[in-house]
Amino acid sequence: MSETRSKSRSRSRHRRRKTALLAGVPLALTSAGAMAYGGVFGVFGADAQPKASAASSTASALAGVTDVANGFASVNALGQNGTYGGRDGQTVTVKTLADLEKYATAAEPYIIVVAATINMNPVGKEIKVASDKTIIGSGTSGQIVGGGFFLGTGVHNVIIRNLTIRDAYQGIWNDKEHDFDAVQMDGAHHVWIDHNDLRQMADGLIDSRKDTTYLTVSWNKLSQDNKAFGIGWTENTTADITIHHNWIRETEQRNPSTDNVAHAHLYNNYLEDEAGTTIKSSYGNYSRGKTNMVLENSYFQGMTNPVVRDATATLVQRGNVFSGTTGKNESGGSGAAWDPKTYYGYTLDKTADVPALLKSGAGPRSSVARATGTATTTATGTTTAAAATTLTVAADGSGQYRTVQAAVNAVPANNASRVIISVKPGTYRELVKVPSNKPHVTIQGSGGSRKDTTIVYNNASGTPKPDGSGTYGTGGSATVAVDADDFQARNLTISNDFDEATHQDIANQAVALRTSADKVFLDSVIISGDQDTLLVDTASKDKLGRVYITNSYVVGNTDFIFGRATAVIDKSVITLKKRWNGTSAGYVTAPSTAANRKGILIANSTVSGDVSDRSFYLGRNWHAGGDATLDPQTTIRNTALSAAIRTTPWSDMGGFSWKEDRFAEYKNTGAGSGAASSDRPQLTDAQATAQEVADWLGDWTPSAS
């Protein structure tokens, strides 16, 4: 903010995208191995460790209804922020075909728990599933017999999980008359098919057709069928598909057959052709048309032609094992190399472990937890708090994500429990936004010091937006913008290093951190900038937004702690900084508090810096937009003030007198403190008892989590 005009309230929503990723911004979660039995988000095992082994999770129940997809189904694209099914809707339990069809075809989101064997009538019936559905079996009792599911054009955000779908077989092996599939998708997107047992259907077990994309197929048993898994039926090459940890056995063809898929990622699958049976495989994994396939750490047992590719296709193999196989085993092609980790994080299990891992872990699990918000109720009725999930960020590629924003993107929308984004030491020059639909996020540095991990950018009010749509306003200039409740940050630095000297052509308002949420907890952080460093805001004028900052540093010169939130800076250091031209002058706070709300409280802290004596005001009253109904408030108490503070420490702003608003001190010390006067209001002891930290925070007690 310039000293003579009001602040711009623009909140430009800028998100950096990797231009090379035509499929959209990476959004995946992690650890393929740990996906076997799921955690709160289907990412980690019960111990909530990022490298959890699926094999060690065999005793765990599938936390099915709260999980979200990994792989390509987790990518943010086509207007869909990953795949989480019916999580936003009601949970219903069905035992009849009528009820299953009623809820599966409804326009509203639903979690549909199938708790019985449901016979399709007529045989071959495929229920037309609508968007935003989770269809999940209750333990091993959820079975669909004689039919399956159909997902048509545009259907999205669907999870099919923990079911047995079987027995539409009509007695003819290569049946051309009865196109009965377990799951057929024509032009759908963002679908996750996980932990199912699919067998003995009349045609295919899974058909992904007509540009179906952002699909993940994981931890399924596909068996006893002519055609296991067909992909294609299109001349376009646009689909992105992840196929991992599936046990495909005793199927003759399409294992899978992958035609014209832009990015096909197959890993840790087990393809088995048992000797001495009547079923004989004709081929295994097939890269057809213009498919570009990456095939990793999969195990092929007894397969004929285990890996095949067309001359027009591309296939990269690494880490696969072939035991008792015969015939073609191909790779190569002229397509451009691609790395799945540019789209999502995953961890490969050892190839030698794959057969045992999938024999014990693929298919439906025996018990499924119910979604209960932030807790999970087990089959025995015991309620336990959901464990935190940890995502790791490292600029050098040693973490799951290279950028902090990529990890934020991986957090599922409307997540019910804590997600910790652990950021390894380094400088991350990026913009980070935590949107309002991703609460309970913690961003923390993993180094030994808060200086080891820095998130920094250099936008300012007036900086042109990269898309040419204008310039950023003050709020939009933030390096880190937090719109989500229950956010935490610790052990890191958040900075805006906008170069005022070079850019005197635009305003100097350059925000390091902007919050517009409730229950924001910042512990052991450095928030550094010049003008407008820390914007503590609320989602709207009538919304409560509380911020608690402790054991931290806030650095700046002009209005560098400002906004309308109820904010506490406790046991911290506020560092005064000279301006770009070497002069000393500034304002610590600029509250724009709504009437009857608490404003900014600085308590038990230190205000000092390498600046001239008597050059800084403690604050001035910001009536944003000239709003006379506001009642700005700053209280500074039990704090050491250096000689940099003026003897008359409060200032008017925008034609409003600070004396008509709420500014006060209580028992401050140091060369910058002073006695009570009309220019320096002091709280009485009685008044001070109502202006403690707890009075600011109300019913919220911040705690690390």
Side-chain angles (χ1 to χ4, degrees):
M1 172 184 72
S2 72
E3 296 182 35
T4 58
R5 62 182 175 84
S6 296
K7 292 182 181 286
S8 166
R9 301 295 297 176
S10 173
R11 295 183 181 176
S12 300
R13 297 178 179 264
H14 170 52
R15 179 174 64 187
R16 298 174 70 197
R17 298 173 68 93
K18 294 185 178 181
T19 56
L21 305 187
L22 299 180
V25 178
L27 189 84
L29 302 177
T30 183
S31 185
M35 278 299 301
Y37 306 101
V40 177
F41 300 122
V43 188
F44 307 125
D47 55 359
Q49 297 299 314
K51 297 296 184 181
S53 168
S56 68
S57 303
T58 55
S60 301
L62 179 65
V65 293
T66 56
D67 289 359
V68 300
N70 68 350
F72 271 116
S74 71
V75 171
N76 183 355
L78 302 179
Q80 177 62 38
N81 191 6
T83 304
Y84 49 87
R87 188 186 57 205
D88 295 336
Q90 296 180 356
T91 299
V92 295
T93 299
V94 301
K95 295 184 178 181
T96 67
L97 175 58
D99 283 343
L100 174 59
E101 188 164 21
K102 171 186 173 181
Y103 292 112
T105 60
E108 301 83 6
Y110 279 106
I111 295 169
I112 304 165
V113 180
V114 180
T117 297
I118 295 177
N119 292 286
M120 291 296 192
N121 185 17
V123 171
K125 181 182 181 67
E126 293 179 3
I127 293 175
K128 295 181 178 179
V129 180
S131 299
D132 304 318
K133 301 294 185 295
T134 295
I135 305 174
I136 186 166
S138 176
T140 57
S141 64
Q143 301 201 26
I144 309 298
V145 178
F149 299 104
F150 176 80
L151 282 63
T153 301
V155 171
H156 60 277
N157 191 30
V158 173
I159 297 173
I160 297 174
R161 202 167 195 215
N162 216 58
L163 293 167
T164 295
I165 306 176
R166 60 179 174 84
D167 295 333
Y169 179 56
Q170 299 293 290
I172 301 174
W173 181 244
N174 193 2
D175 196 338
K176 303 295 185 182
E177 299 297 324
H178 303 98
D179 184 13
F180 301 159
D181 302 314
V183 182
Q184 180 175 317
M185 298 160 283
D186 282 6
H189 66 91
H190 288 90
V191 180
W192 186 27
I193 302 171
D194 178 76
H195 273 287
N196 300 290
D197 181 353
L198 312 176
R199 51 187 158 90
Q200 289 191 316
M201 301 301 289
D203 188 53
L205 299 177
I206 301 175
D207 274 0
S208 176
R209 317 188 325 166
K210 301 180 181 179
D211 304 324
T212 293
T213 189
Y214 301 109
L215 169 68
T216 297
V217 177
S218 57
W219 295 97
N220 300 287
K221 293 168 63 176
L222 289 80
S223 65
Q224 302 171 45
D225 210 79
N226 178 35
K227 304 168 186 175
F229 186 178
I231 305 169
W233 291 267
T234 178
E235 295 181 358
N236 302 317
T237 308
T238 57
D240 290 345
I241 296 174
T242 304
I243 304 166
H244 73 86
H245 290 90
N246 298 283
W247 183 14
I248 304 174
R249 57 177 293 275
E250 295 305 283
T251 56
E252 184 171 316
Q253 58 182 314
R254 299 182 186 172
N255 296 305
S257 169
T258 311
D259 188 25
N260 289 333
V261 173
H263 301 100
H265 185 204
L266 283 64
Y267 69 91
N268 283 148
N269 296 297
Y270 178 36
L271 276 69
E272 181 185 20
D273 188 346
E274 295 183 11
T277 67
T278 57
I279 299 175
K280 183 66 176 176
S281 61
S282 59
Y283 60 86
N285 292 165
Y286 189 178
S287 183
R288 301 176 60 179
K290 296 180 181 179
T291 292
N292 195 329
M293 178 184 293
V294 174
L295 173 59
E296 302 181 282
N297 285 32
S298 289
Y299 200 106
F300 298 81
Q301 177 72 51
M303 297 293 294
T304 302
N305 301 317
V307 183
V308 183
R309 78 170 183 90
D310 283 355
T312 53
T314 298
L315 197 156
V316 174
Q317 284 201 49
R318 43 183 180 247
N320 302 304
V321 168
F322 302 89
S323 176
T325 60
T326 59
K328 295 180 179 180
N329 187 352
E330 300 175 326
S331 60
S334 59
W338 69 284
D339 181 2
K341 287 189 176 180
T342 62
Y343 295 87
Y344 52 84
Y346 67 100
T347 300
L348 294 168
D349 284 304
K350 293 180 180 179
T351 312
D353 296 340
V354 165
L357 183 65
L358 296 188
K359 286 180 179 180
S360 63
R365 310 310 300 154
S366 60
S367 61
V368 179
R370 299 287 186 264
T372 56
T374 58
T376 297
T377 303
T378 68
T380 60
T382 302
T383 301
T384 58
T389 297
T390 299
L391 310 178
T392 59
V393 177
D396 63 4
S398 61
Q400 297 160 253
Y401 306 95
R402 289 183 179 269
T403 68
V404 180
Q405 187 62 56
V408 172
N409 290 345
V411 178
N414 305 308
N415 50 295
S417 60
R418 178 68 50 187
V419 179
I420 298 171
I421 297 173
S422 179
V423 188
K424 293 187 178 183
T427 298
Y428 298 81
R429 181 163 287 278
E430 59 173 304
L431 297 173
V432 176
K433 178 169 180 164
V434 184
S436 60
N437 64 348
K438 297 190 177 186
H440 321 304
V441 168
T442 296
I443 300 177
Q444 64 183 30
S446 64
S449 165
R450 57 194 142 202
K451 295 181 180 180
D452 292 345
T453 303
T454 298
I455 305 171
V456 59
Y457 212 75
N458 62 351
N459 282 337
S461 180
T463 299
K465 297 178 183 178
D467 62 3
S469 62
T471 61
Y472 293 107
T474 300
S477 71
T479 299
V480 176
V482 176
D483 296 325
D485 291 345
D486 194 21
F487 173 84
Q488 298 187 7
R490 62 177 57 88
N491 197 41
L492 52 78
T493 296
I494 299 171
S495 177
N496 190 316
D497 63 354
F498 172 69
D499 187 345
E500 295 183 15
T502 302
H503 294 286
Q504 281 297 293
D505 55 321
I506 62 176
N508 295 329
Q509 301 149 313
V511 176
L513 172 64
R514 174 181 65 78
T515 70
S516 63
D518 191 31
K519 299 182 181 179
V520 175
F521 181 24
L522 311 175
D523 184 9
S524 192
V525 300
I526 299 172
I527 307 168
S528 180
D530 289 308
Q531 182 171 331
D532 293 4
T533 303
L534 173 62
L535 171 53
V536 285
D537 205 356
T538 66
S540 62
K541 183 179 175 180
D542 61 339
K543 294 285 188 180
L544 177 64
R546 289 168 290 182
V547 180
Y548 180 68
I549 304 171
T550 188
N551 303 316
S552 296
Y553 291 80
V554 183
V555 183
N557 51 43
T558 303
D559 302 327
F560 63 98
I561 303 169
F562 72 105
R564 66 185 171 204
T566 296
V568 176
I569 301 175
D570 187 23
K571 301 173 186 175
S572 296
V573 176
I574 296 169
T575 302
L576 311 176
K577 185 178 180 181
K578 290 182 179 178
R579 297 192 176 192
W580 66 273
N581 58 6
T583 61
S584 295
Y587 307 83
V588 177
T589 68
S592 59
T593 322
N596 302 315
R597 283 272 169 81
K598 299 289 189 183
I600 296 171
L601 172 65
I602 298 172
N604 313 304
S605 296
T606 298
V607 180
S608 64
D610 184 17
V611 296
S612 302
D613 289 356
R614 311 305 177 193
S615 59
F616 272 73
Y617 291 95
L618 289 176
R620 57 181 177 171
N621 55 334
W622 176 31
H623 285 255
D627 188 347
T629 68
L630 299 178
D631 193 11
Q633 180 182 31
T634 295
T635 297
I636 301 179
R637 57 175 297 165
N638 306 105
T639 290
L641 306 178
S642 77
I645 301 305
R646 291 174 176 263
T647 56
T648 55
W650 309 105
S651 177
D652 297 339
M653 182 179 181
F656 293 89
S657 170
W658 69 266
K659 292 184 178 181
E660 295 180 2
D661 293 312
R662 296 176 289 169
F663 293 88
E665 300 175 75
Y666 180 69
K667 290 189 176 180
N668 293 323
T669 60
S673 63
S677 71
S678 60
D679 291 323
R680 195 151 199 173
Q682 303 284 328
L683 299 176
T684 66
D685 289 344
Q687 290 171 328
T689 61
Q691 295 202 31
E692 302 278 3
V693 171
D695 297 307
W696 251 251
L697 301 182
D699 61 358
W700 173 45
T701 302
S703 61
S705 61

